[in-house]
């Protein structure tokens, strides 16, 4: 493999990180924080009872550990985007609710994401995006299997 191809690959990874940064720059949140906050704010409203976050589903979606989710929840709580309390119906569970500030931040990040996504898709094309996603999934699967081999 040529060193030029190698460099292009790593440069592309850096550029994808910049895309993530563009999505989160106006929201004072990292991507993982946005995904979790949107999961909470999207299912919780002022009138409904507190909800319990589906941690295994979030772990799979973001490919992160349970301690990482706890860290993100602590960060969101410090920013006053969520509140946590013992679930009155099941004291073994912690209920999570988005605050007004958290719902506003989730909405702002969703709008920013939708704008950027629409622009990318219209310029890049749906067929190209499907091909890119298939290749990215294959690369991720390969990377995951390499990680298992090295452990």
């Amino acid at each position: 493999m040529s060193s030029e191809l190698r460099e292009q690959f790593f440069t592309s990874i850096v550029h994808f990180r910049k895309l993530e940064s563009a999505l989160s720059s106006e929201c004072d949140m990292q991507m993982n924080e946005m995904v979790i906050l949107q999961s909470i704010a999207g299912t919780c409203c002022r009138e409904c009872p507190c909800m319990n976050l589906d941690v295994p589903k979030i772990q799979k979606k973001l490919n992160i550990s349970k301690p990482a989710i706890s860290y993100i929840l602590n960060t969101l709580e410090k920013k006053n985007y969520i509140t946590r309390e013992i679930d009155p119906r099941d004291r073994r569970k912690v209920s999570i609710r988005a605050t007004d500030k958290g719902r506003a931040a989730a909405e702002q990040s969703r709008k920013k994401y939708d704008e950027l996504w629409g622009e990318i898709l219209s310029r890049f094309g749906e067929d190209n995006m499907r091909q890119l996603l298939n290749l990215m999934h294959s690369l991720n699967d390969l990377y995951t299997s390499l990680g298992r081999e090295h452990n």
Side-chain angles (χ1 to χ4, degrees):
M1 177 187 296
S2 75
S3 61
E4 182 182 344
L5 185 59
R6 180 176 172 236
E7 288 303 312
Q8 287 176 354
F9 173 73
F10 285 107
T11 301
S12 293
I13 289 173
V14 170
H15 289 161
F16 273 109
R17 296 288 305 195
K18 288 180 182 180
L19 178 62
E20 177 184 349
S21 179
L23 285 169
S24 61
S25 65
E26 293 181 21
C27 307
D28 188 33
M29 286 184 280
Q30 299 297 317
M31 252 337 227
N32 288 344
E33 293 172 345
M34 287 179 5
V35 170
I36 290 175
L37 180 60
Q38 287 178 3
S39 296
I40 295 166
T43 58
C44 189
C45 61
R46 289 184 185 106
E47 296 79 29
C48 70
C50 296
M51 56 85 65
N52 294 300
L53 188 63
D54 187 344
V55 174
K57 185 177 178 181
I58 294 293
Q59 281 180 283
K60 184 176 181 180
K61 184 175 186 174
L62 298 177
N63 195 27
I64 60 175
S65 67
K66 195 172 183 177
I69 292 174
S70 293
Y71 178 83
I72 291 168
L73 291 174
N74 288 337
T75 301
L76 292 172
E77 192 171 33
K78 286 177 187 171
K79 292 178 180 180
N80 194 30
Y81 289 159
I82 64 167
T83 58
R84 292 187 284 184
E85 58 190 47
I86 301 296
D87 187 332
R89 295 168 295 199
D90 186 345
R91 297 191 53 77
R92 298 169 294 176
K93 296 180 180 177
V94 175
S95 294
I96 304 166
R97 181 186 304 264
T99 63
D100 288 341
K101 182 179 177 182
R103 280 188 290 280
E107 181 63 26
Q108 178 187 8
S109 68
R110 172 60 68 193
K111 284 180 182 177
K112 176 75 173 173
Y113 178 84
D114 288 347
E115 281 176 26
L116 191 54
W117 170 250
E119 186 68 23
I120 288 171
L121 193 59
S122 71
R123 290 181 179 205
F124 194 59
E126 193 171 322
D127 289 340
N128 284 337
M129 184 58 73
R130 288 186 193 285
Q131 287 178 327
L132 176 62
L133 290 173
N134 285 334
L135 291 169
M136 289 173 71
H137 288 299
S138 295
L139 183 59
N140 187 56
D141 290 345
L142 174 62
Y143 174 76
T144 301
S145 70
L146 289 172
R148 287 188 190 124
E149 292 171 9
H150 287 79
N151 289 335

